[in-house]
C-alpha cells in the first residue's frame, strides 16, 4: 500500500507510540481524582500540556485539550464570540475546513453577518483585502493558516496586525500548518489557535486550543471543572500522552519538509506530464500536498481506481467524503472552471513517504488513465 493522504491523517509516529506505551500504567485513571492513581494520570496530562504548548511557542496554562480539531474549532468560534453583541460580523474565507465552515453557517442562520475573503486561484488575499472587510461590527476573524485541500498558506501574522488595530480577535485553524510550518503563537499575534494530534503522527481523538490569556472562553458543554472549566469532561489521558509525544518531535517533522517538498514536486511534475493541472499552485503552499484536476474525470472515480491499485489518495476533506459533491474549496477558488472541483485529486505526503512510492504512484496513475483513454 502507498499512502498519500497525510492531510487526512498521519501514520502513528514512533514518538507517539512511546507516549502511548508509557501511559498505560496509569492512563486509565481519572486525572481529577485526588488519590495516587488520579494524581499519576494528572501528571501525564500536564506533561502532555507542556509538550504541546512547547510545540507552538505557548504557555501550558493557555492550552485547552479537546477531542480533536473539530471540537477545538467549535469551542474557539462559539466560545470567543460575544453572545451579547448585536449586530455582529465574522470575517472568514469561503474555503475553510468543514469543522469551521459548518459552525459559521449555523451562526449565519441565527443572524450573524458573515463576510468572506475571495481566494482566487488559490492565492491568499492581501492584508488590505482583509482590512476592507473589518467593519464596525466585526466581532471575530476566523482564518485557516493552511488550506486542507491545496496547501495554500495565508499571511496570518499580517492579518493579525491589521485586526489588532481594530481590536478584533483572530482565530486560526492551524491543523494543517502544525508540523509543516514553524508556529509561535505570540509572534503571530493571534487570539486563538487550533491544532490536532492526527496531523503530526499522533493519535486521533486528541486536539488542543491555545487561547490568549486575556480572552474569556465560554465552554460549549455544561459539566465539570476540567480544563479550568473551559472544556468539561474526563479527558482521554492515553490519547493526550500520545499527542504530547508526537508534539515533542515537531522539530524533526519540520526539518523533513525539505525532502517532502522535493517529492511533492516530483509527483506534481509527473502528474502534469499526464495532463493534470495543479490547483492553488500560484501562491505559497506547504510542502506536503498537491491538488490536481483533469478535465473529463470525476475525482471520486480517480480515488477509487487508485485505491484498487493500492494507492491511498482523496478528492478533498476526508470528513466530506461520501457526499458526492464537488470540492467547495475549488469551486470557490475557480468559479469559472467547475471541472477542477469535479475532478479534484488530492495527494498528500509526509516524512515517511519515499521516492520509490512516488514513482510507483505515478506509474499507477498512468495505468488508470490509459484504461479509459
Amino acid at each position: 500500500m502507498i499512502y498519500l493522504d497525510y492531510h487526512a491523517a498521519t501514520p502513528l509516529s514512533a514518538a507517539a507510540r512511546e507516549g502511548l506505551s508509557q501511559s498505560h500504567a496509569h492512563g486509565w485513571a481519572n486525572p481529577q481524582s485526588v488519590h495516587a492513581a488520579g494524581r499519576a494520570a494528572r501528571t501525564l496530562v500536564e506533561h502532555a500540556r507542556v509538550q504541546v504548548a512547547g510545540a507552538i511557542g505557548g504557555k501550558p496554562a493557555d492550552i485547552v485539550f479537546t477531542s480533536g480539531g473539530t471540537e477545538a474549532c467549535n469551542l474557539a468560534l462559539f466560545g470567543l464570540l460575544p453572545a451579547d453583541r448585536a449586530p455582529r460580523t465574522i470575517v472568514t474565507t469561503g474555503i475553510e475546513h468543514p469543522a469551521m465552515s459548518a459552525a459559521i453557517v449555523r451562526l449565519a442562520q441565527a443572524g450573524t453577518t458573515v463576510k468572506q475573503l475571495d481566494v482566487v486561484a488559490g492565492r491568499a488575499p492581501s492584508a488590505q483585502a482583509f482590512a476592507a472587510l473589518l467593519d464596525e461590527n466585526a466581532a471575530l476573524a476566523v482564518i485557516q493558516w493552511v488550506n486542507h485541500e491545496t496547501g495554500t498558506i495565508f499571511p496570518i501574522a499580517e492579518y493579525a496586525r491589521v485586526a489588532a488595530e481594530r481590536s478584533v480577535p483572530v482565530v486560526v485553524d492551524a491543523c494543517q500548518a502544525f508540523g509543516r510550518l514553524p508556529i509561535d503563537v505570540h509572534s503571530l499575534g493571534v487570539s486563538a489557535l487550533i491544532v490536532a494530534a492526527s496531523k503530526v503522527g499522533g493519535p486521533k481523538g486528541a486536539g488542543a486550543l491555545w487561547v490568549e490569556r486575556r480572552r474569556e472562553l465560554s465552554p460549549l458543554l455544561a459539566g465539570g471543572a476540567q480544563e479550568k472549566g473551559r472544556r468539561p469532561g474526563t479527558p482521554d489521558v492515553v490519547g493526550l500522552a500520545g499527542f504530547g509525544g508526537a508534539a515533542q518531535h515537531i522539530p524533526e517533522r519540520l526539518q523533513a519538509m525539505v525532502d517532502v517538498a522535493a517529492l511533492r514536486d516530483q509527483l506534481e511534475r509527473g502528474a502534469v506530464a499526464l495532463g493534470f493541472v495543479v490547483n492553488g499552485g500560484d501562491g505559497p503552499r506547504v510542502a506536503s500536498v498537491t491538488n490536481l484536476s483533469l478535465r473529463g474525470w470525476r475525482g471520486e472515480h480517480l480515488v477509487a481506481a487508485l485505491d484498487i491499485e493500492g494507492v491511498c489518495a482523496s478528492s478533498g476533506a476526508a470528513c466530506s467524503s461520501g457526499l458526492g459533491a464537488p470540492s467547495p474549496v475549488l469551486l470557490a477558488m475557480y468559479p469559472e472552471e467547475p471541472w477542477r472541483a469535479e475532478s479534484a485529486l488530492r495527494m498528500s505526503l509526509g516524512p515517511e513517504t519515499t521516492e520509490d512510492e512516488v514513482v510507483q504512484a505515478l506509474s499507477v496513475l498512468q495505468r488508470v488513465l490509459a484504461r479509459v483513454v
Side-chain angles (χ1 to χ4, degrees):
M1 181 180 72
I2 299 173
Y3 186 75
L4 295 176
D5 201 16
Y6 279 74
H7 274 218
T10 53
L12 201 62
S13 68
R17 290 179 189 277
E18 182 180 358
L20 293 169
S21 176
Q22 292 178 351
S23 70
H24 284 146
H26 300 290
W28 53 269
N30 190 326
Q32 300 302 115
S33 298
V34 298
H35 48 59
R39 294 197 303 273
R42 178 79 175 188
T43 296
L44 291 170
V45 171
E46 296 311 314
H47 182 53
R49 199 184 309 276
V50 170
Q51 292 171 313
V52 172
I56 61 173
K59 296 184 181 302
D62 301 329
I63 294 290
V64 182
F65 280 134
T66 68
S67 63
T70 295
E71 185 190 349
C73 284
N74 278 257
L75 178 57
L77 181 61
F78 292 107
L80 290 175
L81 194 64
D84 58 350
R85 182 172 173 180
R88 62 187 184 186
T89 300
I90 291 177
V91 175
T92 186
T93 76
I95 64 169
E96 298 297 310
H97 189 277
M100 195 68 86
S101 63
I104 291 173
V105 166
R106 184 177 297 182
L107 286 168
Q109 292 170 341
T112 298
T113 299
V114 177
K115 293 186 176 183
Q116 293 184 343
L117 285 162
D118 292 326
V119 186
V120 179
R123 293 188 293 272
S126 66
Q128 291 75 20
F130 174 73
L133 298 186
L134 295 175
D135 60 27
E136 66 276 7
N137 296 319
L140 202 64
V142 180
I143 311 287
Q144 61 183 187
W145 194 348
V146 170
N147 182 257
H148 51 291
E149 294 192 19
T150 65
T152 300
I153 301 173
F154 288 79
I156 295 300
E158 295 178 24
Y159 293 170
R161 281 194 291 272
V162 171
E165 295 172 357
R166 316 284 182 89
S167 299
V168 178
V170 176
V171 173
V172 176
D173 172 4
C175 288
Q176 297 293 358
F178 196 33
R180 298 179 177 115
L181 295 175
I183 299 178
D184 186 304
V185 289
H186 296 295
S187 63
L188 275 178
V190 300
S191 302
L193 184 136
I194 295 130
V195 294
S198 63
K199 306 305 182 185
V200 293
K204 291 177 290 296
L209 168 64
W210 172 87
V211 181
E212 194 178 17
R213 185 161 299 183
R214 63 190 177 96
R215 300 287 174 187
E216 291 289 334
L217 182 70
S218 300
L220 284 178
L221 306 174
Q226 293 93 341
E227 298 300 302
K228 298 182 179 178
R230 298 172 295 185
R231 196 273 182 179
T234 305
D236 177 1
V237 178
V238 174
L240 292 178
F243 188 6
Q248 191 173 19
H249 289 264
I250 291 296
E252 289 88 338
R253 297 188 78 88
L254 292 174
Q255 290 175 359
M257 287 302 115
V258 174
D259 293 332
V260 171
L263 292 176
R264 189 275 309 273
D265 291 347
Q266 180 179 346
L267 178 61
E268 211 163 74
R269 286 193 299 269
V272 169
L274 294 175
F276 286 87
V277 297
V278 178
N279 299 311
D282 294 338
R285 293 180 294 161
V286 289
S288 53
V289 64
T290 183
N291 192 295
L292 308 161
S293 291
L294 183 60
R295 190 189 292 269
W297 281 80
R298 298 286 299 183
E300 63 267 31
H301 296 166
L302 282 168
V303 170
L306 289 171
D307 184 44
I308 291 172
E309 297 280 354
V311 177
C312 302
S314 68
S315 57
C319 58
S320 298
S321 64
L323 297 180
S327 161
V329 168
L330 296 186
L331 286 175
M333 288 184 174
Y334 302 95
E336 304 301 320
E337 299 176 286
W339 61 270
R340 287 183 182 254
E342 294 164 357
S343 63
L345 176 65
R346 184 184 73 177
M347 305 179 87
S348 46
L349 304 76
E352 297 86 358
T353 307
T354 66
E355 183 176 6
D356 184 59
E357 288 177 325
V358 168
V359 171
Q360 290 186 53
L362 285 170
S363 178
V364 169
L365 190 57
Q366 185 174 23
R367 289 203 305 271
V368 165
L369 298 179
R371 290 183 193 146
V372 179
V373 174

